Amino acid sequence: MKKDSLDTQAHCKEAWAKWRDKGTEILSQVNPKETARTKKALNDVLDHLAQVLARLRELLLQQPSDALDNKKALEELVDGYDQEYTLKETLVCLVGQGALTQHQLIGSKAVWAADTYVPL
């Protein structure tokens, strides 16, 4: 996969969506008996999401103090993505333990794909 351009907030949002979709795809194909491979693939996705989140934090710090509306919107985005990232980390741990049933894996996919806690 080509390297993501993270030079703007819009590019970061696009990269985040791409990696969220990649994680959903991985969870769609998971076999409960092959969770080690799935955990490794999801950890790769988490690494990319962490890079996006770190870049958004950098962009937040670079916001001029007189751009309060933009800064507030970016703070909300970073907070939402941070919550989403934490949830995804937890899902990767659960999947990696190999204790989830097929039904629970399907539920994990739905939770991974959800973005309702991120402001628009």
Side-chain angles (χ1 to χ4, degrees), residues 30-48:
V30 69
N31 178 337
K33 296 181 186 344
E34 297 180 1
T35 55
R37 186 176 340 154
T38 302
K39 183 178 179 183
K40 183 178 180 327
L42 288 174
N43 275 324
D44 182 52
V45 170
L46 282 177
D47 289 345
H48 287 281

Side-chain angles (χ1 to χ4, degrees), residues 34-105:
E34 297 180 1
T35 55
R37 186 176 340 154
T38 302
K39 183 178 179 183
K40 183 178 180 327
L42 288 174
N43 275 324
D44 182 52
V45 170
L46 282 177
D47 289 345
H48 287 281
L49 291 174
Q51 291 172 14
V52 174
L53 190 53
R55 178 61 181 141
L56 283 169
R57 287 185 178 123
E58 289 173 9
L59 291 172
L60 180 60
L61 292 173
Q62 295 170 2
Q63 284 288 313
S65 58
D66 61 342
L68 293 178
D69 288 341
N70 290 340
K71 190 168 188 164
K72 175 89 172 131
L74 187 52
E75 283 174 346
E76 289 177 2
L77 181 69
V78 169
D79 288 346
Y81 281 176
D82 188 51
Q83 291 174 28
E84 185 176 341
Y85 182 84
T86 301
L87 179 63
K88 288 176 180 2
E89 274 185 317
T90 303
L91 288 174
V92 171
C93 288
L94 291 172
V95 168
Q97 290 174 357
L100 298 180
T101 65
Q102 188 65 35
H103 182 68
Q104 290 168 323
L105 286 169

Side-chain angles (χ1 to χ4, degrees), residues 5-22:
S5 170
L6 302 177
D7 55 337
T8 67
Q9 180 179 337
H11 288 144
C12 288
K13 289 169 85 171
E14 290 169 7
W16 189 273
K18 177 179 89 173
W19 289 106
R20 178 192 299 130
D21 292 348
K22 179 67 176 169

